[in-house]
Amino acid sequence: MTIPYPTTPSVPAFTEVAVPSGAPRPRLAFLGTGYLGATYAVCFAELGYDVLAVDVDAAKIAKLASGQVPFHEPGLDELLRSNLAAGRLRFTTSYEEAAEHADVHFICVGTPQRADGMGADLAYVEASVTALAPHLRRRALIVGKSTVPVGTAEWVEQLVARHADPQLGIEVAWSPEFLQEGFAVEDVLRPNRIVVGVKSEWANGMLYAAHKGVFDLAATEEREVPLVVTDFATAELVKVAANAFLATKISFINAMAEVCEVAGGDVTQLAKAIGYDPRIGNRFLQAGVGFGGGCLPKDIRAFQARAQELGAGEALRFLHEVDLINLRRRSRVVQLAAELLGRRPGPAGPDLSGTRIAVLGAAFKPNSDDVRDAPALAVAASLAKAGADVHVYDPQGMENARAAQPTLAYETSMNDAVAGAELVCVLTEWAEFRNANPAELADLVAGKRVIDGKNCLDAGLWARAGWDYRGMGRPAPAL
Ligand code: UGA
């Protein structure tokens, strides 16, 4: 099986290049050990590369070096431990050591939303590049993986020119990542595409060598990994365009949910029906409390901010609407809660004081402990703000949730959370909640009312067990 290697006319075709360290395959460094950097470091060690991962957070590095992943990601712990044992993976806080080690340095640091606006904060990108560059002593390639505003790669080039020895010929490239939390290991080992933005044949060749393990694995499994070689701007834009598209798809179906709610339709049926059209497809069409996490929400905002700066703000104005639709879904849960509990909406929203509500879910999606911009936790906080006594349970996200929303009550099990509740809100579609037995839970609660914020429960089953069920964008089920 041949691996397709399309190139754009402006970029030279792949040629084999000498690895600066003299190693048989490039030695790799991953700068930043958050979800992205830690997962990539572990997975590329698994693919056989000699990997060093760097972070300024000594506690995190110590944890990783001792074989513990600091976040919940299925399958990553085992790979971390086996690759540490195999000696292919090391962790450090020293950029000097990274400079000495690697031929290819991947920037994997966070690019959060700026505190003072919608744009991306590039402080960590700047810090990692300026910490590394002065220590470089031989030729190397610095590859951006973090999600950034278009134009960042050029800026990183300028930083490198200022902080590294110009005689060394250090180059920059951009290669966005597309991993999804919960499936991160699979997404890195078996990506559905690799995108590289390069300016030279050397950078192209080095990046190919740095990904050869991915292509080789695909070849043994008779799969193909499409590779798109392009310029810096396109590579940077591919990432934000992909996330903007996914966010738009989710908000589209949530907008349909809003219409279904007033028209008496069922958005789950509607999604199924339109999804059969292969041009539309049925993935990312699940209506519910909307999207959250450390990527989609901040990426659509940063994309708008950057487009505005470039004079193309109008082109992305729809993303503002995508954001608003998304946030309206969170308010909808509070509104539904008030309706179910017989509370009238006041001028400052409904008054839920004196009610006890169980919130099942805190993480932004199942199989993750990430609560960044999590709809579940945001709704829990809004319910509490409206006066409800809110009891939260999440199978993995408790520690992060408690740190983010310390005033909510946290329970150690689903049963403890629902005990005595007048309303149960399922806001993250963990299997534990999807498979819960409504008849058993009915014995624990004070009122059999449930809001299915992810449309993940069997509505008929819950209704037959005596529950007053409300989904998102669907009518109450007929018994
Ligand atoms: C997202 C993208 O899917 C990845 O391709 C990308 O690499 C990543 O961001 C990133 O930029 O690093 P992730 O944030 O892990 O990945 O989460 P998603 O699986 O995209 O889910 C995002 C949110 O949308 C979740 O809150 C999820 O519950 C929600 N969602 C998803 C829906 O509400 N409906 C759907 O149909 C699908």
Side-chain angles (χ1 to χ4, degrees), residues 147 177-183 187 193 239 242-243 246 250 253-254 283-296 299 326 364-366 375 429 454:
T147 303
E177 56 77 31
F178 305 101
L179 67 84
Q180 307 160 71
E181 290 178 24
F183 305 95
D187 284 348
R193 79 283 210 190
K239 173 59 192 270
N243 275 3
L246 294 172
I250 298 167
I253 202 65
N254 280 331
R283 299 192 61 194
F284 268 66
L285 273 187
Q286 277 155 304
V289 279
F291 57 81
C295 304
L296 262 44
D299 287 352
N326 193 51
F364 84 107
K365 65 176 184 182
E429 68 276 37
K454 298 298 288 187

Side-chain angles (χ1 to χ4, degrees), residues 73-384:
E73 186 58 52
L76 197 58
D77 293 76
E78 299 82 55
L79 288 188
L80 168 66
R81 287 194 278 273
S82 60
N83 283 285
L84 281 170
R88 285 188 296 263
L89 177 61
R90 287 176 303 120
F91 292 91
T92 183
T93 54
S94 163
Y95 274 94
E96 203 172 343
E97 206 180 327
E100 161 55 30
H101 172 81
D103 300 292
V104 181
H105 298 265
F106 288 100
I107 304 170
C108 299
V109 295
T111 52
Q113 186 172 338
R114 288 174 67 102
D116 60 356
M118 297 214 306
D121 184 349
L122 296 178
Y124 301 117
V125 173
E126 182 169 11
S128 64
V129 173
T130 55
L132 174 74
H135 296 298
L136 294 168
R137 297 287 176 266
R138 60 170 187 269
R139 196 172 192 193
L141 183 67
I142 298 179
V143 185
K145 277 223 158 287
S146 309
T147 303
V148 293
V150 60
T152 303
E154 299 274 353
W155 172 70
V156 168
E157 264 191 334
Q158 290 162 19
L159 285 178
V160 171
R162 245 183 287 143
H163 294 272
D165 178 351
Q167 306 300 321
L168 300 176
I170 309 296
E171 290 192 33
V172 171
W174 217 265
S175 180
E177 56 77 31
F178 305 101
L179 67 84
Q180 307 160 71
E181 290 178 24
F183 305 95
V185 170
E186 198 53 20
D187 284 348
V188 176
L189 294 177
R190 296 177 178 82
N192 51 26
R193 79 283 210 190
I194 290 176
V195 178
V196 299
V198 290
K199 279 195 178 168
S200 78
E201 192 176 341
W202 183 76
N204 195 18
M206 282 299 286
L207 263 176
Y208 185 76
H211 286 93
K212 194 163 178 304
V214 176
F215 294 116
D216 288 349
L217 175 65
T220 63
E221 296 172 349
E222 302 202 358
R223 284 180 296 108
E224 292 188 353
V225 179
L227 172 63
V228 179
V229 180
T230 184
D231 52 76
F232 281 6
T234 309
E236 292 164 320
L237 284 168
V238 164
K239 173 59 192 270
V240 280
N243 275 3
F245 189 87
L246 294 172
T248 304
K249 204 170 176 192
I250 298 167
S251 275
F252 174 83
I253 202 65
N254 280 331
M256 296 305 110
E258 282 190 35
V259 178
C260 283
E261 274 153 16
V262 288
D266 184 335
V267 76
T268 61
Q269 297 286 324
L270 183 147
K272 199 165 154 189
I274 63 171
Y276 283 126
D277 182 335
R279 293 170 304 174
I280 296 172
N282 60 11
R283 299 192 61 194
F284 268 66
L285 273 187
Q286 277 155 304
V289 279
F291 57 81
C295 304
L296 262 44
K298 67 125 172 121
D299 287 352
I300 60 166
R301 292 171 198 150
F303 198 12
Q304 290 170 74
R306 186 63 181 141
Q308 190 74 38
E309 282 168 11
L310 294 169
E314 240 172 277
L316 299 189
R317 201 167 289 162
F318 73 97
L319 287 179
H320 179 59
E321 213 53 55
V322 165
D323 205 356
L324 292 180
I325 294 166
N326 193 51
L327 296 174
R328 272 206 301 276
R329 290 287 82 189
R330 300 178 184 190
S331 320
R332 169 70 182 159
V333 179
V334 181
Q335 198 190 338
L336 267 179
E339 262 172 53
L340 273 174
L341 292 164
R343 299 298 177 102
R344 296 209 172 279
D351 176 9
L352 299 177
S353 52
T355 63
R356 181 172 167 148
I357 300 179
V359 167
L360 299 183
F364 84 107
K365 65 176 184 182
N367 302 318
S368 169
D369 62 356
D370 194 345
V371 301
R372 286 177 295 171
D373 211 338
L377 203 53
V379 169
S382 300
L383 293 168

